[in-house]
Amino acid sequence: MTYRDQLNHRFGQAIRDAVLKDVSQDRSTGRRMDRSIGRSMGPGKLRRSVMLLSLLIVSTPFCVAALGLALIVVHHETVVAIGAGVLLVAVGYYLRTPKHKNTKATLRRPDAPKVFGVLDDICAQMNAPRIDGVHVLAEVNAYMAEYSKTERILGIGAPLWLALEPAERVALLAHEIGHLINHDPARGRLSYAALGTLARWHDLSHPPMLIDGATNSRFYFEDRGLIDRVFGFLCGTAIAALSRGFETLMFADSQRAEYLADLAAASVAGTAAKTELLRKLILSPLAEDALTQTYFDGSKHIAVFDKMARAIADPIPEKANALNAEAMMSLHRIDSTHPPTRYRLDVAAAAGHPAPALDAAQMDWAGMDQELSAFFQRMERALLSEIIVQ
């Protein structure tokens, strides 16, 4: 293990230990675990640092444009100054925060009223804002994304959904909704805007990348002079260092948010359901293996999502044991939004066994599956079209 890996691991352990300490203090005082635990534990120093740095980064385009306008106003009699001012305004406009738009096919409330009914029940239990749409994914994954103040989208992987038992599905939904109440920076609009602005700064300090039609390879078109190259190198290095530092802080805070979302999900669906969900996520590579081994020539439909789901729900013991052993050996990395699953299991276990806030057995899962089936089939056809044998 390198020294950097050791620092990564220690930093990650400190994040986990801080959450475990908070949970232990809550239990020692006899306080029942709060379903809005993401709020009750407070933002922490990491969150405040990420938010402050995000605001500073997002403000840089306005500062550059304001400097250009000031230069034009103060030195309006000088052509060179006006030209420099216009250039700075143009740079500020280029660096402006990119808009985060929802461009994917989205399920809305009229499409799946039963699904949204369950989402509303979970949001009510967690004191979270309501979900506005659902994305269907062709992978073993789930996510929460905020596109605007009025559009919160939850992504559900069809193979994962089909592999889960009812209580585990509630845990999955509650976990993703938990990111709304703990304001995970990796899913927030402010951090997205900061990352976009840093990417624009990076592009501005590097020569344009072109594609060689003859070799179909990318290359940098470098026609700058020595001074421009030195200036670009210094700026690029500073921006890269700032980006790396910002991402490290953001990922570290996002890992804390993952732990808090796990705790919130355990309080809604039960610790056993949350634990089993995490154990099935460890087996997600088996679903990818099932997909890569699928032969499809277009002659008849293949239920590939069911095949991927079975690989997780009813795995080959030898492969499952190997993945579990690998997961138990994984170490913290601060270049990832998720902490190792084995530490997430530790945190979930530390919560004890609170009574589930919602009874999954009372929910109409057959009706929800029926509502989702058309969207699952559409996504399945799109996936099969990518692997068809020509």
Side-chain angles (χ1 to χ4, degrees), residues 50 60 63 67 87 108 156 175 229-230 326 346 353 365:
V50 171
T60 55
C63 294
L67 179 61
L87 179 61
R108 301 295 181 180
I156 300 175
H175 174 90
R229 291 188 184 189
V230 172
E326 181 181 345
D346 290 343
H353 298 280
W365 296 106

Side-chain angles (χ1 to χ4, degrees), residues 149-294:
K149 292 182 179 180
T150 57
E151 190 172 27
R152 303 172 186 88
I153 304 298
L154 189 147
I156 300 175
L160 178 58
W161 181 264
L162 295 172
L164 299 179
E165 297 297 326
E168 297 160 11
R169 290 179 176 181
V170 174
L172 175 69
L173 299 177
H175 174 90
E176 297 306 328
I177 292 171
H179 288 298
L180 287 178
I181 62 175
N182 64 34
H183 303 291
D184 183 354
R187 294 161 176 80
R189 296 186 300 273
L190 183 59
S191 297
Y192 172 85
L195 289 172
T197 300
L198 284 172
R200 296 284 179 92
W201 272 111
H202 177 272
D203 293 343
L204 197 64
S205 62
H206 287 73
M209 180 175 283
L210 304 177
I211 297 179
D212 185 349
T215 61
N216 196 30
S217 59
R218 297 185 179 187
F219 66 96
Y220 282 109
F221 179 71
E222 183 64 270
D223 64 345
R224 299 179 297 177
L226 178 60
I227 296 178
D228 287 343
R229 291 188 184 189
V230 172
F231 180 76
F233 172 77
L234 294 175
C235 287
T237 301
I239 293 167
L242 177 60
S243 298
R244 186 60 180 266
F246 175 70
E247 288 178 354
T248 298
L249 288 174
M250 186 183 72
F251 287 152
D253 192 26
S254 187
Q255 289 192 11
R256 181 176 183 272
E258 283 295 327
Y259 289 129
L260 298 183
D262 287 340
L263 291 170
S267 72
V268 173
T271 302
K274 179 60 193 179
T275 299
E276 190 58 30
L277 168 62
L278 290 171
R279 294 194 181 281
K280 285 186 176 179
L281 287 173
I282 292 175
L283 305 180
S284 59
L286 299 181
E288 297 301 320
D289 291 344
L291 176 61
T292 57
Q293 294 167 8
T294 298

Side-chain angles (χ1 to χ4, degrees), residues 132-149:
D132 303 295
V134 172
H135 288 164
V136 173
L137 315 174
E139 58 196 61
V140 181
N141 192 18
Y143 62 73
M144 175 61 64
E146 293 185 79
Y147 291 95
S148 67
K149 292 182 179 180

Side-chain angles (χ1 to χ4, degrees), residues 5 8-9 14 17 29 39 56 58 63 68 104 106 117 121 124 133 159 199 212 258 262 295 303 331 382:
D5 289 337
N8 242 337
H9 184 54
D17 293 345
T29 57
R39 289 196 187 100
L56 291 174
V58 170
C63 294
K104 294 183 179 180
T106 304
D121 289 342
D212 185 349
E258 283 295 327
D262 287 340
Y295 177 87
L331 300 177

